Amino acid sequence: MSAILSSCAYCGVGCGISVSSTQADWENVDRSNLTLTGDINHPANHGHLCAKGERLLDSLAQPNVLRYPILRSGKPINWDDASSLIADKFANTIAEFGPDSVALYLSGQLLTEDYYVANKFAKGYLKTANVDTNSRLCMSSAVSAMQGSFGEDVVPGCYDDIEHADVIVLIGANTAWTHPVLFQRILAAKKANHSQLVVIDPIATATAKQADIHLAIKPGADLALFHGLLGFLADSNSVNHDYITAHTQGYDDIIESAQQLSCNLASLAKIVGVSLATLTQFYQLFIDGNKVLSASCQGVNQSVIGTEITQAIIHCHLALGHIGQAGCGFFSLTGQPNAMGGREVGGLATQLACHMGFSAPEQQLLTNFWQVDGVANKKGLAAVDMFDALAEGKIKAIWIMGTNPVVSLPNSNKVALALADCPFVVVSEISPDSDTAKLADVLLPAQGWSEKCGTVTNSERTISRQRGFMMPKGQSKPDWWAISQVAQKMGFQGFEFKTNASVFNEFARLSAQVKQTFAGKVFDISGLANLTQQEYDHLAPTQLTYRFSRAHWPKRFTFI
Ligand SMILES: Nc1nc2c(c(=O)[nH]1)N[C@H]1C(S)=C(S)[C@@H](COP(=O)(O)OP(=O)(O)OC[C@H]3O[C@@H](n4cnc5c(=O)[nH]c(N)nc54)[C@H](O)[C@@H]3O)O[C@H]1N2
Ligand SMILES: Nc1nc2c(c(=O)[nH]1)N[C@H]1C(S)=C(S)[C@@H](COP(=O)(O)OP(=O)(O)OC[C@H]3O[C@@H](n4cnc5c(=O)[nH]c(N)nc54)[C@H](O)[C@@H]3O)O[C@H]1N2
Ligand code: SF4
Ligand SMILES: [Mo]
């Protein structure tokens, strides 16, 4: 019996799995010889799995797998011709209409290696930052808030904080359903440590039903709730002024408006939509519970004021000086298995790789590292704007990977019509049946979860290996390989990658260079640069640690 360790593909908890086979030979392994369990040594789940993870092997029986590249007419085409066609169409479109007439729309379900190569291709070679991802739909509010408050998209909390917390506050998150293994851990910690669970959600969800306090607030009232809490912390002399003076900026600018809310708690309770007793019970618990951990998800992120709400939550922790200490502070739950990895390679239209922005020195670093004549010099179009530009005919060629925007973006009819009218649509998929795949001029077969190899980064920024254990079906290929083929056909040098390890190494070397050049950068995977193939193959889950302590944090945190 031999086992392969990999990761669950379904959510941002990022559980480790172990797939065992009774067959000695992994090549041509048969599904009936496989068993799947949780990886007891993985720090995200310590062997636990939820119902979805336990049934991962059932997904292998997918009825209609895409095996070969095909054209819209249904005619099969070989990879060589398909990549030549895509290269020609992208090159001609750029020649006629400029770099911003093309776009890539990616997915938090891709691997970090796929994401890295896609970004390099678009921002370094096509010279457009029109590269966005479905992670925009879940994570952009949290990203902007952390960039604003901490100076970089860095998540202070981690799963271990759950056991150290006295109070856990879930805001806009139905964690019992959407991050079940983490929720079981919260319930276990609650039982063992008598910690309190607060759930803030307009609906009495399965999560809320397990809470000690459920604040069934009005939708969107989170902003008033947390801004009022900041005022309450000040009113009750709980604010850590030494910390604020030494490590933050902007407190004085916002505290007055916060206290305008907290000075009349009865009217604040009305605005928020809860009773005065519930409001004050929660506020008092935030002070009395020594260590408070707040975690938010889509009820906050998908709000039009999601960034402001997230910042209001962070402000309360900053005011107490409770950031970067065990068991307290802010934590952002990511939805997709690799939303975090995508953010790290710069998978959003609004950033460059390794948490860089578009300043001249940051562009220059990438220009030198990739040995190109300049990179995209301004932000590109974010998801919704990208599809608006598509509908307006401004984007004339698009490559969609690992996501089904016809279903998942708002205004789906508009998205479908825009794709139908777009002169050239490429879709990389594992299935020909998705609504988006049906609109592709060229449909490329991607490798599915059981076949592909690379890395993913979970909610608590642990990088884990995904390891394929099934032979890829038909001519399906890794997404990074497909992009590299097209890039080479366009005459670009720098896409001669032979393995996923070589892609990862380049990314890690870039991180080392960024860290060396910009001393204040917190994102740092330089320790993983230059892994040998064997080291990469055996890479154990590795967590990026950010030191938020006074000694190590170079920037001031900001009240915005
Ligand atoms: N089974 C399953 N699990 C999944 C996924 C899946 O498709 N299926 N998808 C994964 C992905 S990509 C994501 S992003 C996550 C999503 O994970 P969650 O965010 O936990 O999931 P949602 O169901 O969107 O829960 C959002 C909650 O916010 C509440 N809410 C709505 N408006 C407000 C508001 O104004 N304020 C507050 N405080 N709450 C509000 C809603 O009532 C809801 O309970 O799940 C991940 N896990
Ligand atoms: N109404 C409504 N809309 C929503 C949401 C909501 O709660 N309600 N939630 C939003 C959120 S948070 C999210 S994250 C999005 C999710 O929206 P999508 O990203 O559209 O979600 P999926 O259905 O998971 O689409 C993934 C696609 O990738 C394909 N695929 C699977 N594995 C691979 C692979 O390895 N490579 C490639 N190339 N393709 C692969 C699958 O066949 C599938 O078609 O939806 C958003 N839209
Ligand atoms: S909690 Fe998420 S990552 Fe873990 S087994 Fe369930 S779906 Fe997979
Ligand atoms: Mo999501």
Side-chain angles (χ1 to χ4, degrees):
M1 191 90 157
S2 59
I4 290 180
L5 300 177
S6 189
S7 309
C8 174
Y10 286 133
C11 89
V13 178
C15 296
I17 54 163
S18 172
V19 182
S20 316
S21 168
T22 49
Q23 215 174 310
D25 153 31
W26 277 96
E27 275 184 30
N28 305 312
V29 72
D30 191 78
R31 154 79 179 93
S32 59
N33 295 327
L34 297 175
T35 45
L36 184 146
T37 55
D39 174 2
I40 47 168
N41 295 317
H42 197 290
N45 58 318
H46 303 287
H48 297 287
L49 291 177
C50 75
K52 284 178 292 170
E54 280 170 354
R55 288 169 181 73
L56 268 163
L57 289 178
D58 294 348
S59 72
L60 300 182
Q62 192 191 337
N64 193 10
V65 184
L66 180 65
R67 290 168 195 266
Y68 308 99
I70 46 174
L71 297 172
R72 192 171 211 151
S73 60
K75 192 171 159 254
I77 178 173
N78 65 41
W79 268 106
D80 197 43
D81 291 343
S83 40
S84 295
L85 175 66
I86 298 167
D88 285 350
K89 290 281 187 186
F90 269 69
N92 293 341
T93 306
I94 291 171
E96 194 172 347
F97 302 103
D100 291 334
S101 62
V102 301
L104 267 60
Y105 187 56
L106 311 176
S107 163
Q109 285 91 305
L110 295 178
L111 302 177
T112 301
E113 290 74 5
D114 303 323
Y115 250 128
Y116 175 79
V117 174
N119 267 282
K120 179 177 180 180
F121 175 57
K123 289 175 182 158
Y125 293 76
L126 302 182
K127 319 285 187 206
T128 179
N130 285 346
V131 188
D132 218 53
T133 153
N134 61 2
S135 304
R136 171 78 54 193
L137 309 178
C138 18
M139 298 320 299
S140 54
S141 301
V143 170
S144 318
M146 288 187 282
Q147 283 172 336
S149 299
F150 305 137
E152 200 173 324
D153 173 18
V154 286
V155 187
C158 64
Y159 301 161
D160 280 352
D161 286 329
I162 290 169
E163 282 83 28
H164 295 282
D166 300 316
V167 180
I168 298 170
V169 187
L170 292 175
I171 311 139
N174 191 6
T175 316
W177 284 5
T178 54
H179 297 103
V181 165
L182 209 57
F183 192 65
Q184 288 307 316
R185 188 163 169 178
I186 291 172
L187 292 184
K190 188 163 136 49
K191 201 168 164 197
N193 309 336
H194 307 290
S195 43
Q196 301 275 301
L197 177 64
V198 180
V199 173
I200 301 171
D201 195 308
I203 294 175
T205 60
T207 310
K209 288 187 181 141
Q210 306 270 4
D212 299 289
I213 306 176
H214 171 209
L215 280 89
I217 63 168
K218 292 181 190 162
D222 311 68
L223 188 55
L225 177 70
F226 281 94
H227 201 42
L229 172 57
L230 179 67
F232 184 84
L233 297 176
D235 296 340
S236 51
N237 290 325
S238 304
V239 164
N240 183 339
H241 286 287
D242 290 345
Y243 181 89
I244 287 174
T245 309
H247 301 290
T248 71
Q249 59 195 16
Y251 175 78
D252 293 339
D253 302 332
I254 66 163
I255 192 61
E256 202 177 310
S257 66
Q259 286 182 301
Q260 271 164 17
L261 282 174
S262 60
C263 70
N264 187 342
L265 288 177
S267 100
L268 178 57
K270 278 208 184 90
I271 295 170
V272 171
V274 296
S275 71
L276 177 60
T278 308
L279 185 79
T280 41
Q281 187 191 7
F282 168 57
Y283 280 7
Q284 201 56 48
L285 191 62
F286 213 91
I287 297 170
D288 297 342
N290 195 18
K291 293 181 189 158
V292 183
L293 179 69
S294 305
S296 56
C297 206
Q298 299 318 316
V300 172
N301 290 352
Q302 287 176 342
S303 163
V304 286
I305 48 167
T307 304
E308 291 82 349
I309 296 172
T310 310
Q311 279 163 343
I313 299 166
I314 293 172
H315 291 161
C316 297
H317 294 285
L318 284 181
L320 296 173
H322 283 177
I323 285 280
Q325 294 171 17
C328 49
F330 172 71
F331 187 65
S332 162
L333 293 156
T334 55
Q336 305 150 320
N338 199 28
M340 186 72 88
R343 282 147 65 182
E344 289 164 354
V345 301
L348 295 167
T350 42
Q351 55 182 216
L352 293 177
C354 299
H355 290 181
M356 286 194 289
F358 287 86
S359 73
E362 287 166 312
Q363 284 182 45
Q364 191 59 49
L365 186 147
L366 269 183
T367 301
N368 296 345
F369 186 81
W370 286 335
Q371 298 178 11
V372 287
D373 56 347
V375 298
N377 58 10
K378 59 177 191 311
K379 290 179 184 175
L381 296 171
V384 171
D385 298 334
M386 184 185 281
F387 281 84
D388 283 348
L390 200 75
E392 289 159 18
K394 291 181 187 152
I395 289 179
K396 296 170 192 302
I398 188 165
W399 190 344
I400 297 166
M401 273 175 227
T403 175
N404 186 12
V406 170
V407 172
S408 53
L409 274 175
N411 280 329
S412 49
N413 284 344
K414 183 177 169 184
V415 171
L417 285 174
L419 282 171
D421 285 347
C422 179
F424 192 62
V425 177
V426 184
V427 175
S428 297
E429 253 294 342
I430 56 167
S431 161
D433 297 330
S434 88
D435 299 68
T436 307
K438 288 178 188 152
L439 296 171
D441 294 290
V442 183
L443 192 51
L444 298 174
Q447 292 178 352
W449 155 81
S450 63
E451 302 160 334
K452 63 184 180 180
C453 295
T455 54
V456 289
T457 312
N458 73 4
S459 282
E460 63 160 357
R461 50 188 196 275
T462 294
I463 298 176
S464 296
R465 278 297 320 268
Q466 177 141 341
R467 297 181 177 91
F469 54 89
M470 298 294 286
M471 288 294 283
K473 293 180 191 64
Q475 293 177 5
S476 65
K477 295 287 183 191
D479 291 307
W480 63 260
W481 182 90
I483 304 157
S484 299
Q485 292 304 298
V486 171
Q488 286 176 314
K489 288 276 168 63
M490 291 179 82
F492 300 148
Q493 280 169 5
F495 293 88
E496 296 79 22
F497 303 111
K498 293 277 180 285
T499 59
N500 38 52
S502 58
V503 178
F504 185 83
N505 276 348
E506 182 176 308
F507 172 43
R509 277 189 280 111
L510 172 61
S511 163
Q513 195 130 119
V514 170
K515 181 76 188 167
Q516 204 177 15
T517 312
F518 303 106
K521 276 283 179 244
V522 176
F523 175 75
D524 180 10
I525 57 163
S526 57
L528 299 176
N530 304 316
L531 295 180
T532 62
Q533 180 71 48
Q534 214 194 7
E535 286 167 336
Y536 177 81
D537 285 344
H538 292 106
L539 185 69
T542 305
Q543 188 177 35
L544 307 184
T545 48
Y546 305 136
R547 295 193 188 88
F548 276 77
S549 71
R550 292 154 198 223
H552 295 98
W553 196 263
K555 300 185 185 94
R556 283 180 162 244
F557 302 128
T558 309
F559 287 88
I560 292 185

